[in-house]
Amino acid sequence: MSVMLGKSFFNRSAVKVAHDLIGCVLVRRVRGRTRRFLITEVEAYEGPKDLASHASRGKTKRNEIMFGPAGYIYVYFVYGMHWMLNIVTGKKDYPAAVLIRDIEGYSGPARLTKALSITGELNCKLLGKKIGLWIESGMSISSKNILRTPRIGVAYAGPVWSKKLYRFLLKEK
DNA sequence: ACGATGATGAAC
DNA sequence: TTCATCATCGTA
C-alpha cells in the first residue's frame, strides 16, 4: 500500500526525513509514462549553521527555496553540467533539505537526475502529480539496515560539519 | 588523477 | 567585473 508523502512527512528535521526516505519510492511521470525507483541513498542539509549547506551564508536567489515550506523541490546546477535534486524539509524560514543521491539501478545524484529528466524547470515546484514528480511510502526499513556516514564532497565544511553522519544509505544484502 | 563546463557568490 | 569554487562524472 503506497501512499504519497506530503507536507507532514517533510515538515520535520532534515536528518529524520533523510533517514525515513530510505526505502521510499521516487516516482517520475513524463510523457504519459510512470516509473518508480527505490530510494537508496540520501543526505541531510540541516539548518542555517550547517557549513556544508548552501543556506549557511544566508538567503540568496539560488537557495531561497530552502527557506520555504516543506515538500518543495530544490534543483540546482553544479560543475557546469549536473543537476542535483533536493526536497525542502522543516518549517518555513528554517533552511533545510534532503539531497536524493541514489536510486536503485543508478549511481550518483547527477546520473539520477539525468535518467529521470530532472532539470532546473522543477526548481521551486511542489512535489506532486501535477509536475510528475512525487515520493511514495515504500517498504519499512529497519534502522539496522540503514548505514550512516559523513556526507560526500563537503570537505570545505570544516572539521565539525564535514564529519556529521548525515548521509544515509540502504545496506547491501 | 584530472578535465569538462557554467552558475554562483564574494572580492575587488 | 573578475575569480575561485563547486552537494559530480567519465576517462585515464
Side-chain angles (χ1 to χ4, degrees):
Chain A
M1 252 359 54
S2 296
V3 175
M4 191 185 322
L5 302 178
K7 182 158 182 176
S8 61
F9 179 89
F10 295 104
N11 194 20
R12 299 179 291 148
S13 83
V15 172
K16 279 186 183 151
V17 171
H19 172 277
D20 292 350
L21 275 176
I22 296 297
C24 290
V25 179
L26 184 64
V27 189
R28 182 67 169 133
R29 181 173 180 83
V30 285
R31 294 191 301 275
R33 176 167 172 240
T34 303
R35 293 183 293 163
R36 276 167 227 269
F37 306 89
L38 188 68
I39 296 172
T40 56
E41 179 181 344
V42 297
E43 283 176 1
Y45 288 82
E46 185 76 278
K49 299 274 172 70
D50 182 353
L51 293 180
S53 170
H54 290 168
S56 67
R57 287 178 225 187
K59 192 189 285 187
T60 68
K61 177 142 195 166
R62 176 174 71 161
N63 69 22
E64 67 182 346
I65 190 61
M66 289 185 75
F67 293 75
Y72 281 80
I73 296 168
Y74 173 37
V75 180
Y76 68 90
F77 192 61
V78 266
Y79 297 117
M81 57 187 89
H82 300 309
W83 294 102
M84 301 284 116
L85 171 65
N86 299 257
I87 313 302
V88 175
T89 66
K91 64 186 193 305
K92 186 176 176 304
D93 295 326
Y94 177 81
V98 173
L99 170 68
I100 311 295
R101 279 193 63 88
D102 208 3
I103 51 181
E104 200 175 35
Y106 296 86
S107 188
R111 300 187 65 196
L112 174 165
T113 53
K114 184 169 187 190
L116 273 61
S117 305
I118 290 165
T119 70
E121 286 183 21
L122 292 175
N123 191 37
C124 300
K125 298 282 203 310
L126 185 60
L127 277 176
K129 298 200 166 148
K130 195 168 178 179
I131 60 159
L133 184 67
W134 68 94
I135 297 175
E136 293 175 355
S137 61
M139 52 181 132
S140 148
I141 306 284
S142 157
S143 286
K144 62 175 185 288
N145 290 318
I146 297 176
L147 207 57
R148 284 189 75 160
T149 80
R151 292 169 290 184
I152 302 296
V154 298
Y156 61 84
V160 174
W161 289 94
S162 68
K163 288 178 185 139
K164 296 271 188 192
L165 301 178
Y166 283 180
R167 175 176 175 241
F168 298 84
L169 57 164
L170 191 59
K171 260 186 211 169
E172 303 286 340
K173 282 190 225 39

mmCIF file of all heavy atoms in Angstrom, chain A residues 10 17-18 21-22 24 26 37-45 74 83-87 97-103 108-113 116 118 127 133 135, chain C residues 7 9:
data_model
loop_
_atom_site.group_PDB
_atom_site.id
_atom_site.type_symbol
_atom_site.label_atom_id
_atom_site.label_comp_id
_atom_site.label_asym_id
_atom_site.label_seq_id
_atom_site.Cartn_x
_atom_site.Cartn_y
_atom_site.Cartn_z
ATOM 1 N N PHE A 10 7.490 15.688 5.355
ATOM 2 C CA PHE A 10 8.687 16.501 5.109
ATOM 3 C C PHE A 10 8.857 17.638 6.119
ATOM 4 O O PHE A 10 9.933 18.204 6.225
ATOM 5 C CB PHE A 10 8.652 17.080 3.689
ATOM 6 C CG PHE A 10 8.721 16.016 2.628
ATOM 7 C CD1 PHE A 10 7.588 15.642 1.924
ATOM 8 C CD2 PHE A 10 9.914 15.364 2.364
ATOM 9 C CE1 PHE A 10 7.644 14.641 0.955
ATOM 10 C CE2 PHE A 10 9.984 14.366 1.404
ATOM 11 C CZ PHE A 10 8.844 13.992 0.696
ATOM 12 N N VAL A 17 13.952 13.124 8.179
ATOM 13 C CA VAL A 17 13.353 12.874 6.864
ATOM 14 C C VAL A 17 14.299 12.032 6.015
ATOM 15 O O VAL A 17 13.883 11.075 5.357
ATOM 16 C CB VAL A 17 13.023 14.205 6.147
ATOM 17 C CG1 VAL A 17 12.598 13.956 4.705
ATOM 18 C CG2 VAL A 17 11.924 14.952 6.905
ATOM 19 N N ALA A 18 15.583 12.378 6.057
ATOM 20 C CA ALA A 18 16.566 11.635 5.260
ATOM 21 C C ALA A 18 16.560 10.161 5.652
ATOM 22 O O ALA A 18 16.468 9.276 4.793
ATOM 23 C CB ALA A 18 17.957 12.236 5.455
ATOM 24 N N LEU A 21 13.475 8.423 4.398
ATOM 25 C CA LEU A 21 13.312 8.325 2.937
ATOM 26 C C LEU A 21 13.940 7.056 2.366
ATOM 27 O O LEU A 21 13.588 6.621 1.268
ATOM 28 C CB LEU A 21 13.921 9.544 2.239
ATOM 29 C CG LEU A 21 13.023 10.771 2.135
ATOM 30 C CD1 LEU A 21 13.793 11.934 1.513
ATOM 31 C CD2 LEU A 21 11.764 10.476 1.326
ATOM 32 N N ILE A 22 14.879 6.487 3.104
ATOM 33 C CA ILE A 22 15.489 5.245 2.623
ATOM 34 C C ILE A 22 14.410 4.160 2.561
ATOM 35 O O ILE A 22 13.714 3.908 3.542
ATOM 36 C CB ILE A 22 16.637 4.797 3.558
ATOM 37 C CG1 ILE A 22 17.759 5.828 3.549
ATOM 38 C CG2 ILE A 22 17.163 3.421 3.135
ATOM 39 C CD1 ILE A 22 18.425 6.027 2.205
ATOM 40 N N CYS A 24 11.824 4.444 0.575
ATOM 41 C CA CYS A 24 10.663 5.043 -0.084
ATOM 42 C C CYS A 24 10.861 5.002 -1.603
ATOM 43 O O CYS A 24 11.915 4.609 -2.088
ATOM 44 C CB CYS A 24 10.449 6.485 0.393
ATOM 45 S SG CYS A 24 9.888 6.564 2.112
ATOM 46 N N LEU A 26 10.711 6.930 -5.283
ATOM 47 C CA LEU A 26 10.684 8.151 -6.079
ATOM 48 C C LEU A 26 9.914 7.851 -7.359
ATOM 49 O O LEU A 26 10.239 6.912 -8.080
ATOM 50 C CB LEU A 26 12.113 8.587 -6.398
ATOM 51 C CG LEU A 26 12.293 9.910 -7.139
ATOM 52 C CD1 LEU A 26 11.804 11.084 -6.292
ATOM 53 C CD2 LEU A 26 13.769 10.108 -7.508
ATOM 54 N N PHE A 37 11.145 4.206 -8.516
ATOM 55 C CA PHE A 37 12.511 3.840 -8.146
ATOM 56 C C PHE A 37 12.670 3.828 -6.631
ATOM 57 O O PHE A 37 12.256 4.769 -5.957
ATOM 58 C CB PHE A 37 13.511 4.843 -8.719
ATOM 59 C CG PHE A 37 13.390 5.060 -10.196
ATOM 60 C CD1 PHE A 37 12.543 6.034 -10.697
ATOM 61 C CD2 PHE A 37 14.118 4.286 -11.086
ATOM 62 C CE1 PHE A 37 12.427 6.248 -12.070
ATOM 63 C CE2 PHE A 37 14.012 4.490 -12.452
ATOM 64 C CZ PHE A 37 13.168 5.465 -12.947
ATOM 65 N N LEU A 38 13.298 2.794 -6.129
ATOM 66 C CA LEU A 38 13.593 2.705 -4.703
ATOM 67 C C LEU A 38 14.696 3.706 -4.353
ATOM 68 O O LEU A 38 15.737 3.734 -5.007
ATOM 69 C CB LEU A 38 14.051 1.284 -4.378
ATOM 70 C CG LEU A 38 14.233 0.939 -2.908
ATOM 71 C CD1 LEU A 38 12.888 0.926 -2.193
ATOM 72 C CD2 LEU A 38 14.932 -0.413 -2.778
ATOM 73 N N ILE A 39 14.459 4.498 -3.331
ATOM 74 C CA ILE A 39 15.480 5.457 -2.874
ATOM 75 C C ILE A 39 16.476 4.719 -1.983
ATOM 76 O O ILE A 39 16.094 4.111 -0.986
ATOM 77 C CB ILE A 39 14.827 6.620 -2.105
ATOM 78 C CG1 ILE A 39 13.922 7.419 -3.047
ATOM 79 C CG2 ILE A 39 15.896 7.529 -1.483
ATOM 80 C CD1 ILE A 39 13.085 8.480 -2.349
ATOM 81 N N THR A 40 17.746 4.792 -2.364
ATOM 82 C CA THR A 40 18.755 4.006 -1.646
ATOM 83 C C THR A 40 19.825 4.847 -0.960
ATOM 84 O O THR A 40 20.607 4.332 -0.167
ATOM 85 C CB THR A 40 19.463 3.032 -2.601
ATOM 86 O OG1 THR A 40 20.012 3.765 -3.691
ATOM 87 C CG2 THR A 40 18.495 1.983 -3.121
ATOM 88 N N GLU A 41 19.887 6.127 -1.269
ATOM 89 C CA GLU A 41 20.919 6.964 -0.651
ATOM 90 C C GLU A 41 20.490 8.423 -0.639
ATOM 91 O O GLU A 41 20.040 8.952 -1.657
ATOM 92 C CB GLU A 41 22.237 6.807 -1.415
ATOM 93 C CG GLU A 41 23.361 7.656 -0.856
ATOM 94 C CD GLU A 41 24.662 7.504 -1.646
ATOM 95 O OE1 GLU A 41 24.778 6.534 -2.413
ATOM 96 O OE2 GLU A 41 25.532 8.377 -1.492
ATOM 97 N N VAL A 42 20.642 9.072 0.515
ATOM 98 C CA VAL A 42 20.252 10.481 0.668
ATOM 99 C C VAL A 42 21.220 11.184 1.622
ATOM 100 O O VAL A 42 21.963 10.529 2.355
ATOM 101 C CB VAL A 42 18.819 10.607 1.247
ATOM 102 C CG1 VAL A 42 17.777 10.004 0.322
ATOM 103 C CG2 VAL A 42 18.741 9.971 2.618
ATOM 104 N N GLU A 43 21.178 12.500 1.597
ATOM 105 C CA GLU A 43 21.952 13.288 2.563
ATOM 106 C C GLU A 43 21.099 14.415 3.112
ATOM 107 O O GLU A 43 20.316 15.016 2.369
ATOM 108 C CB GLU A 43 23.188 13.913 1.911
ATOM 109 C CG GLU A 43 24.319 12.941 1.684
ATOM 110 C CD GLU A 43 25.486 13.580 0.940
ATOM 111 O OE1 GLU A 43 25.421 14.781 0.614
ATOM 112 O OE2 GLU A 43 26.450 12.861 0.678
ATOM 113 N N ALA A 44 21.282 14.730 4.402
ATOM 114 C CA ALA A 44 20.560 15.840 5.023
ATOM 115 C C ALA A 44 21.431 17.090 5.063
ATOM 116 O O ALA A 44 22.627 17.011 5.336
ATOM 117 C CB ALA A 44 20.151 15.452 6.444
ATOM 118 N N TYR A 45 20.806 18.219 4.756
ATOM 119 C CA TYR A 45 21.450 19.534 4.900
ATOM 120 C C TYR A 45 20.583 20.309 5.870
ATOM 121 O O TYR A 45 19.469 20.706 5.536
ATOM 122 C CB TYR A 45 21.611 20.207 3.530
ATOM 123 C CG TYR A 45 22.697 19.487 2.748
ATOM 124 C CD1 TYR A 45 22.414 18.318 2.053
ATOM 125 C CD2 TYR A 45 24.009 19.923 2.807
ATOM 126 C CE1 TYR A 45 23.419 17.620 1.397
ATOM 127 C CE2 TYR A 45 25.025 19.235 2.162
ATOM 128 C CZ TYR A 45 24.726 18.091 1.452
ATOM 129 O OH TYR A 45 25.720 17.396 0.823
ATOM 130 N N TYR A 74 14.107 21.606 -4.578
ATOM 131 C CA TYR A 74 15.268 22.470 -4.816
ATOM 132 C C TYR A 74 16.187 21.739 -5.787
ATOM 133 O O TYR A 74 16.786 20.728 -5.427
ATOM 134 C CB TYR A 74 15.970 22.745 -3.482
ATOM 135 C CG TYR A 74 17.292 23.495 -3.587
ATOM 136 C CD1 TYR A 74 17.488 24.509 -4.520
ATOM 137 C CD2 TYR A 74 18.337 23.203 -2.719
ATOM 138 C CE1 TYR A 74 18.692 25.198 -4.587
ATOM 139 C CE2 TYR A 74 19.547 23.876 -2.778
ATOM 140 C CZ TYR A 74 19.725 24.881 -3.713
ATOM 141 O OH TYR A 74 20.919 25.554 -3.781
ATOM 142 N N TRP A 83 22.706 18.389 -12.625
ATOM 143 C CA TRP A 83 21.582 18.838 -11.799
ATOM 144 C C TRP A 83 21.505 17.981 -10.542
ATOM 145 O O TRP A 83 21.666 16.759 -10.613
ATOM 146 C CB TRP A 83 20.267 18.714 -12.569
ATOM 147 C CG TRP A 83 20.190 19.625 -13.749
ATOM 148 C CD1 TRP A 83 20.362 19.289 -15.064
ATOM 149 C CD2 TRP A 83 19.922 21.033 -13.745
ATOM 150 N NE1 TRP A 83 20.223 20.396 -15.873
ATOM 151 C CE2 TRP A 83 19.946 21.480 -15.083
ATOM 152 C CE3 TRP A 83 19.652 21.953 -12.725
ATOM 153 C CZ2 TRP A 83 19.726 22.814 -15.432
ATOM 154 C CZ3 TRP A 83 19.428 23.285 -13.086
ATOM 155 C CH2 TRP A 83 19.457 23.696 -14.420
ATOM 156 N N MET A 84 21.211 18.637 -9.395
ATOM 157 C CA MET A 84 21.061 17.934 -8.126
ATOM 158 C C MET A 84 19.630 18.096 -7.634
ATOM 159 O O MET A 84 19.081 19.203 -7.669
ATOM 160 C CB MET A 84 21.995 18.529 -7.065
ATOM 161 C CG MET A 84 23.459 18.480 -7.410
ATOM 162 S SD MET A 84 24.167 16.846 -7.225
ATOM 163 C CE MET A 84 24.585 16.530 -8.912
ATOM 164 N N LEU A 85 19.044 17.008 -7.160
ATOM 165 C CA LEU A 85 17.655 17.018 -6.685
ATOM 166 C C LEU A 85 17.588 16.999 -5.158
ATOM 167 O O LEU A 85 18.141 16.101 -4.531
ATOM 168 C CB LEU A 85 16.920 15.795 -7.232
ATOM 169 C CG LEU A 85 15.529 15.543 -6.654
ATOM 170 C CD1 LEU A 85 14.556 16.666 -7.013
ATOM 171 C CD2 LEU A 85 14.990 14.198 -7.117
ATOM 172 N N ASN A 86 16.920 17.985 -4.613
ATOM 173 C CA ASN A 86 16.708 18.070 -3.162
ATOM 174 C C ASN A 86 15.235 18.298 -2.854
ATOM 175 O O ASN A 86 14.533 18.917 -3.652
ATOM 176 C CB ASN A 86 17.449 19.272 -2.574
ATOM 177 C CG ASN A 86 18.942 19.225 -2.777
ATOM 178 O OD1 ASN A 86 19.684 18.908 -1.871
ATOM 179 N ND2 ASN A 86 19.387 19.562 -3.967
ATOM 180 N N ILE A 87 14.811 17.837 -1.664
ATOM 181 C CA ILE A 87 13.471 18.128 -1.172
ATOM 182 C C ILE A 87 13.592 19.003 0.074
ATOM 183 O O ILE A 87 14.331 18.652 1.000
ATOM 184 C CB ILE A 87 12.718 16.838 -0.800
ATOM 185 C CG1 ILE A 87 12.846 15.778 -1.906
ATOM 186 C CG2 ILE A 87 11.258 17.162 -0.491
ATOM 187 C CD1 ILE A 87 12.354 16.200 -3.256
ATOM 188 N N ALA A 97 17.161 20.788 3.706
ATOM 189 C CA ALA A 97 16.725 19.983 2.564
ATOM 190 C C ALA A 97 17.405 18.623 2.616
ATOM 191 O O ALA A 97 18.381 18.436 3.337
ATOM 192 C CB ALA A 97 17.062 20.679 1.248
ATOM 193 N N VAL A 98 16.853 17.699 1.850
ATOM 194 C CA VAL A 98 17.465 16.378 1.706
ATOM 195 C C VAL A 98 17.855 16.190 0.247
ATOM 196 O O VAL A 98 17.023 16.370 -0.650
ATOM 197 C CB VAL A 98 16.496 15.266 2.144
ATOM 198 C CG1 VAL A 98 17.083 13.889 1.826
ATOM 199 C CG2 VAL A 98 16.191 15.385 3.628
ATOM 200 N N LEU A 99 19.118 15.869 0.022
ATOM 201 C CA LEU A 99 19.615 15.572 -1.325
ATOM 202 C C LEU A 99 19.345 14.099 -1.629
ATOM 203 O O LEU A 99 19.716 13.225 -0.851
ATOM 204 C CB LEU A 99 21.121 15.843 -1.385
ATOM 205 C CG LEU A 99 21.857 15.358 -2.642
ATOM 206 C CD1 LEU A 99 21.440 16.146 -3.877
ATOM 207 C CD2 LEU A 99 23.364 15.439 -2.442
ATOM 208 N N ILE A 100 18.657 13.849 -2.728
ATOM 209 C CA ILE A 100 18.459 12.465 -3.158
ATOM 210 C C ILE A 100 19.704 12.066 -3.944
ATOM 211 O O ILE A 100 19.920 12.554 -5.051
ATOM 212 C CB ILE A 100 17.202 12.323 -4.053
ATOM 213 C CG1 ILE A 100 15.991 13.010 -3.422
ATOM 214 C CG2 ILE A 100 16.914 10.848 -4.322
ATOM 215 C CD1 ILE A 100 15.504 12.407 -2.142
ATOM 216 N N ARG A 101 20.497 11.204 -3.396
ATOM 217 C CA ARG A 101 21.798 10.859 -4.011
ATOM 218 C C ARG A 101 21.746 9.627 -4.897
ATOM 219 O O ARG A 101 22.564 9.483 -5.791
ATOM 220 C CB ARG A 101 22.865 10.613 -2.933
ATOM 221 C CG ARG A 101 23.493 11.867 -2.373
ATOM 222 C CD ARG A 101 24.746 11.526 -1.574
ATOM 223 N NE ARG A 101 25.749 10.931 -2.419
ATOM 224 C CZ ARG A 101 26.661 11.628 -3.100
ATOM 225 N NH1 ARG A 101 26.704 12.944 -3.024
ATOM 226 N NH2 ARG A 101 27.528 11.004 -3.858
ATOM 227 N N ASP A 102 20.845 8.715 -4.586
ATOM 228 C CA ASP A 102 20.862 7.493 -5.387
ATOM 229 C C ASP A 102 19.530 6.764 -5.326
ATOM 230 O O ASP A 102 18.818 6.817 -4.326
ATOM 231 C CB ASP A 102 21.965 6.562 -4.887
ATOM 232 C CG ASP A 102 22.493 5.664 -5.996
ATOM 233 O OD1 ASP A 102 22.047 5.807 -7.151
ATOM 234 O OD2 ASP A 102 23.345 4.803 -5.698
ATOM 235 N N ILE A 103 19.222 6.118 -6.447
ATOM 236 C CA ILE A 103 18.065 5.238 -6.526
ATOM 237 C C ILE A 103 18.550 3.908 -7.079
ATOM 238 O O ILE A 103 19.593 3.848 -7.721
ATOM 239 C CB ILE A 103 16.973 5.835 -7.438
ATOM 240 C CG1 ILE A 103 17.560 6.238 -8.788
ATOM 241 C CG2 ILE A 103 16.280 7.000 -6.767
ATOM 242 C CD1 ILE A 103 16.567 6.864 -9.736
ATOM 243 N N GLY A 108 24.753 7.737 -8.138
ATOM 244 C CA GLY A 108 25.173 9.129 -8.092
ATOM 245 C C GLY A 108 24.054 10.098 -8.387
ATOM 246 O O GLY A 108 23.166 9.828 -9.184
ATOM 247 N N PRO A 109 24.077 11.241 -7.704
ATOM 248 C CA PRO A 109 22.993 12.221 -7.787
ATOM 249 C C PRO A 109 22.818 12.847 -9.168
ATOM 250 O O PRO A 109 21.703 13.204 -9.551
ATOM 251 C CB PRO A 109 23.398 13.281 -6.759
ATOM 252 C CG PRO A 109 24.862 13.110 -6.569
ATOM 253 C CD PRO A 109 25.135 11.658 -6.782
ATOM 254 N N ALA A 110 23.894 12.991 -9.936
ATOM 255 C CA ALA A 110 23.785 13.615 -11.258
ATOM 256 C C ALA A 110 23.253 12.616 -12.283
ATOM 257 O O ALA A 110 22.479 12.975 -13.176
ATOM 258 C CB ALA A 110 25.142 14.150 -11.701
ATOM 259 N N ARG A 111 23.636 11.371 -12.151
ATOM 260 C CA ARG A 111 23.132 10.352 -13.076
ATOM 261 C C ARG A 111 21.645 10.127 -12.857
ATOM 262 O O ARG A 111 20.889 9.856 -13.781
ATOM 263 C CB ARG A 111 23.906 9.058 -12.876
ATOM 264 C CG ARG A 111 25.390 9.222 -13.141
ATOM 265 C CD ARG A 111 26.108 7.909 -13.108
ATOM 266 N NE ARG A 111 25.665 7.045 -14.181
ATOM 267 C CZ ARG A 111 25.884 5.744 -14.242
ATOM 268 N NH1 ARG A 111 26.538 5.169 -13.263
ATOM 269 N NH2 ARG A 111 25.462 5.045 -15.246
ATOM 270 N N LEU A 112 21.260 10.220 -11.582
ATOM 271 C CA LEU A 112 19.839 10.075 -11.232
ATOM 272 C C LEU A 112 18.988 11.143 -11.920
ATOM 273 O O LEU A 112 17.983 10.837 -12.563
ATOM 274 C CB LEU A 112 19.751 10.180 -9.708
ATOM 275 C CG LEU A 112 18.463 10.215 -8.920
ATOM 276 C CD1 LEU A 112 18.784 9.958 -7.471
ATOM 277 C CD2 LEU A 112 17.703 11.498 -9.067
ATOM 278 N N THR A 113 19.388 12.396 -11.811
ATOM 279 C CA THR A 113 18.581 13.460 -12.402
ATOM 280 C C THR A 113 18.569 13.344 -13.924
ATOM 281 O O THR A 113 17.554 13.607 -14.563
ATOM 282 C CB THR A 113 19.098 14.855 -12.003
ATOM 283 O OG1 THR A 113 20.501 14.949 -12.300
ATOM 284 C CG2 THR A 113 18.876 15.113 -10.532
ATOM 285 N N LEU A 116 16.114 10.643 -14.952
ATOM 286 C CA LEU A 116 14.708 10.962 -14.702
ATOM 287 C C LEU A 116 14.266 12.284 -15.342
ATOM 288 O O LEU A 116 13.174 12.771 -15.060
ATOM 289 C CB LEU A 116 14.440 11.007 -13.187
ATOM 290 C CG LEU A 116 14.082 9.666 -12.540
ATOM 291 C CD1 LEU A 116 15.203 8.649 -12.689
ATOM 292 C CD2 LEU A 116 13.764 9.860 -11.075
ATOM 293 N N ILE A 118 15.247 15.327 -14.806
ATOM 294 C CA ILE A 118 15.026 16.358 -13.790
ATOM 295 C C ILE A 118 16.014 17.492 -14.029
ATOM 296 O O ILE A 118 17.223 17.282 -14.023
ATOM 297 C CB ILE A 118 15.201 15.764 -12.379
ATOM 298 C CG1 ILE A 118 14.042 14.821 -12.070
ATOM 299 C CG2 ILE A 118 15.289 16.875 -11.329
ATOM 300 C CD1 ILE A 118 14.273 13.918 -10.889
ATOM 301 N N LEU A 127 6.280 19.086 -4.835
ATOM 302 C CA LEU A 127 6.194 17.669 -5.203
ATOM 303 C C LEU A 127 4.745 17.295 -5.436
ATOM 304 O O LEU A 127 3.870 17.713 -4.685
ATOM 305 C CB LEU A 127 6.716 16.790 -4.064
ATOM 306 C CG LEU A 127 8.215 16.538 -3.900
ATOM 307 C CD1 LEU A 127 8.423 15.721 -2.635
ATOM 308 C CD2 LEU A 127 8.811 15.860 -5.104
ATOM 309 N N LEU A 133 6.348 14.458 -10.464
ATOM 310 C CA LEU A 133 7.421 14.002 -9.568
ATOM 311 C C LEU A 133 6.900 13.984 -8.140
ATOM 312 O O LEU A 133 6.479 15.020 -7.620
ATOM 313 C CB LEU A 133 8.650 14.917 -9.663
ATOM 314 C CG LEU A 133 9.866 14.483 -8.834
ATOM 315 C CD1 LEU A 133 10.470 13.184 -9.346
ATOM 316 C CD2 LEU A 133 10.927 15.584 -8.814
ATOM 317 N N ILE A 135 6.894 11.352 -4.184
ATOM 318 C CA ILE A 135 7.521 10.270 -3.431
ATOM 319 C C ILE A 135 6.431 9.508 -2.699
ATOM 320 O O ILE A 135 5.516 10.113 -2.139
ATOM 321 C CB ILE A 135 8.577 10.825 -2.448
ATOM 322 C CG1 ILE A 135 9.706 11.512 -3.225
ATOM 323 C CG2 ILE A 135 9.145 9.711 -1.568
ATOM 324 C CD1 ILE A 135 10.750 12.192 -2.364
ATOM 325 P P DA C 7 29.012 22.312 -3.380
ATOM 326 O OP1 DA C 7 27.795 23.055 -3.598
ATOM 327 O OP2 DA C 7 29.853 22.558 -2.195
ATOM 328 O "O5'" DA C 7 28.583 20.786 -3.447
ATOM 329 C "C5'" DA C 7 29.463 19.762 -3.022
ATOM 330 C "C4'" DA C 7 28.695 18.456 -2.931
ATOM 331 O "O4'" DA C 7 27.672 18.611 -1.919
ATOM 332 C "C3'" DA C 7 27.951 18.086 -4.222
ATOM 333 O "O3'" DA C 7 27.799 16.682 -4.299
ATOM 334 C "C2'" DA C 7 26.592 18.762 -4.033
ATOM 335 C "C1'" DA C 7 26.376 18.558 -2.532
ATOM 336 N N9 DA C 7 25.573 19.624 -1.946
ATOM 337 C C8 DA C 7 26.005 20.856 -1.532
ATOM 338 N N7 DA C 7 25.056 21.600 -1.040
ATOM 339 C C5 DA C 7 23.922 20.820 -1.123
ATOM 340 C C6 DA C 7 22.584 21.037 -0.773
ATOM 341 N N6 DA C 7 22.150 22.159 -0.218
ATOM 342 N N1 DA C 7 21.703 20.053 -1.006
ATOM 343 C C2 DA C 7 22.140 18.914 -1.555
ATOM 344 N N3 DA C 7 23.379 18.587 -1.936
ATOM 345 C C4 DA C 7 24.237 19.590 -1.689
ATOM 346 P P DC C 9 27.654 11.637 -9.740
ATOM 347 O OP1 DC C 9 26.297 11.138 -9.965
ATOM 348 O OP2 DC C 9 28.478 11.071 -8.665
ATOM 349 O "O5'" DC C 9 28.456 11.512 -11.104
ATOM 350 C "C5'" DC C 9 27.953 12.221 -12.233
ATOM 351 C "C4'" DC C 9 28.887 12.055 -13.412
ATOM 352 O "O4'" DC C 9 30.070 12.835 -13.208
ATOM 353 C "C3'" DC C 9 29.332 10.617 -13.677
ATOM 354 O "O3'" DC C 9 29.078 10.336 -15.033
ATOM 355 C "C2'" DC C 9 30.817 10.631 -13.336
ATOM 356 C "C1'" DC C 9 31.198 12.087 -13.593
ATOM 357 N N1 DC C 9 32.346 12.578 -12.782
ATOM 358 C C2 DC C 9 33.344 13.349 -13.394
ATOM 359 O O2 DC C 9 33.263 13.594 -14.598
ATOM 360 N N3 DC C 9 34.376 13.802 -12.646
ATOM 361 C C4 DC C 9 34.415 13.525 -11.356
ATOM 362 N N4 DC C 9 35.453 14.005 -10.657
ATOM 363 C C5 DC C 9 33.421 12.750 -10.708
ATOM 364 C C6 DC C 9 32.411 12.292 -11.455
#
